[in-house]
Amino acid sequence: MKTAAFAHCPPTPTLVDTHCHLDAPEFDADRDEVVAEAQALGLGQILVPAVDVSRFESVLEQRRRYGCWIAFGLHPLYLSSHLDDHLAVLEQALTRHAPVALGEIGLDFHVTGLDPARQQALFIEQLKLARRYDLPVLLHVRRAQDKVLRFLREQRIERGIAHAFNGSEQQARAYIRQGMLLGFGGSMTYDGSLRIRRLAASLPLDSIVLETDAPDIRPAWAQQTPNRPAQLARYAQLLAALRGVSHDIVTKTVFNNIINTLKFSGIL
């Protein structure tokens, strides 16, 4: 399969994977094939977020090589890797490389051993950077929905995506009121994910985006291999079926959602 660069601004509504770790080592052996496969199934863009400063260069390489949208952030799961000067490194990357978003950032109170106070301090400082540089945020949130919402309100952050949303309907609507989009993907593919499927079916479509989180959050039909951005095509079909609307409506609406949230030069 031939691999071509993604268009910086897709000329027509297209499928967009709003959260894919294309720089992950799982793709080192066949990354060109992974991208070409996604393109062949209709993906017009992939957003690749960094998780710590050691990955900034590899994320930049995805933009140079494939034209991907990129984001920089300090992920809570990598708390032990984040040094005191890394916020300054992050700010320098924001000013030097013009990412489309700040992320992946957030709070994770599910994994033990991650200092909640340090997580929150780091998260708040990154939200301040997002506001300073007028960037949307890509949020990692586990067992911390209400805390994250509180800090978004306090820091007046009104653009972004709650990645792999797994909260309640009440929390979902609170994110929407705050200006956030909600990311749905692999979890939606499991028959037992009744709450996630119900939310995907009933929340306003103009509050939803699609994502793979590849190589993670594997879909129900491919649990034994690393997830790939090409799976997003089936996620779009599933979302359309859950909502009882056409695939075309899902593609157009979800594309407009992400474009309106990014608002970066060349798009709007």
Side-chain angles (χ1 to χ4, degrees):
M1 289 180 286
K2 183 179 180 181
T3 304
F6 291 113
H8 178 68
C9 176
T12 57
T14 184
L15 295 175
V16 175
D17 188 345
T18 61
H19 202 106
C20 172
H21 296 285
L22 188 60
D23 63 317
E26 286 90 337
F27 298 129
D28 286 351
D30 61 351
R31 192 170 283 108
D32 286 353
E33 178 185 335
V34 166
V35 172
E37 176 190 36
Q39 291 173 329
L41 289 174
L43 267 71
Q45 198 34 277
I46 294 174
L47 176 47
V48 185
V51 296
D52 65 18
V53 297
S54 72
R55 305 302 296 180
F56 286 5
E57 179 57 33
S58 63
V59 165
L60 277 167
E61 178 61 21
Q62 309 316 305
R63 183 167 70 182
R64 287 191 291 263
R65 189 166 182 174
Y66 306 113
C68 294
W69 294 337
I70 62 170
F72 298 120
L74 306 178
H75 194 298
L77 285 182
Y78 298 85
L79 198 62
S80 63
S81 300
H82 305 326
L83 305 179
D84 291 343
D85 68 338
H86 283 182
L87 281 168
V89 176
L90 171 59
E91 184 168 14
Q92 184 180 56
L94 299 180
T95 59
R96 178 177 296 178
H97 299 299
V100 303
L102 199 159
E104 181 177 353
I105 66 174
L107 299 176
D108 195 313
F109 296 161
H110 171 71
V111 176
T112 59
L114 298 173
D115 181 0
R118 186 159 179 258
Q119 282 193 63
Q120 290 177 73
L122 184 65
F123 182 46
I124 290 169
E125 291 306 310
Q126 292 184 92
L127 292 179
K128 290 177 180 177
L129 288 175
R131 190 176 70 245
R132 183 178 308 157
Y133 294 101
D134 192 25
L135 288 169
V137 292
L138 307 180
L139 299 170
H140 172 98
V141 191
R142 287 203 296 183
R143 295 192 178 176
Q145 304 286 353
D146 293 335
K147 282 278 190 182
V148 168
L149 283 163
R150 171 192 158 191
F151 293 134
L152 293 175
R153 288 191 291 265
E154 288 179 353
Q155 298 302 321
R156 303 187 303 281
I157 301 298
E158 298 177 345
R159 281 196 297 139
I161 300 171
H163 151 60
F165 182 74
N166 59 6
S168 67
E169 180 176 355
Q170 180 181 15
Q171 290 164 334
R173 295 192 181 278
Y175 277 108
I176 294 168
R177 287 194 298 272
Q178 192 61 29
M180 299 293 116
L181 298 172
L182 307 175
F184 287 87
S187 297
M188 180 178 63
T189 69
Y190 290 84
D191 292 339
S193 296
L194 300 179
R195 176 170 50 85
I196 297 297
R197 287 190 164 202
R198 184 173 66 251
L199 292 175
S202 63
L203 291 172
L205 187 56
D206 62 7
S207 68
I208 289 174
V209 290
L210 290 167
E211 58 173 59
T212 62
D213 198 28
D216 299 319
I217 313 187
R218 301 172 182 183
W221 54 76
Q223 297 180 48
Q224 304 307 314
T225 57
N227 196 6
R228 294 161 75 97
Q231 297 290 2
L232 195 93
R234 287 187 67 176
Y235 295 176
Q237 293 171 352
L238 174 58
L239 182 61
L242 289 172
R243 300 186 68 90
V245 299
S246 71
H247 183 273
D248 187 56
I249 287 174
V250 165
T251 299
K252 288 180 178 178
T253 305
V254 172
F255 177 78
N256 287 333
N257 295 345
I258 185 61
I259 294 306
N260 289 334
T261 291
L262 292 182
K263 293 183 179 177
F264 64 92
S265 177
I267 292 288
L268 294 179

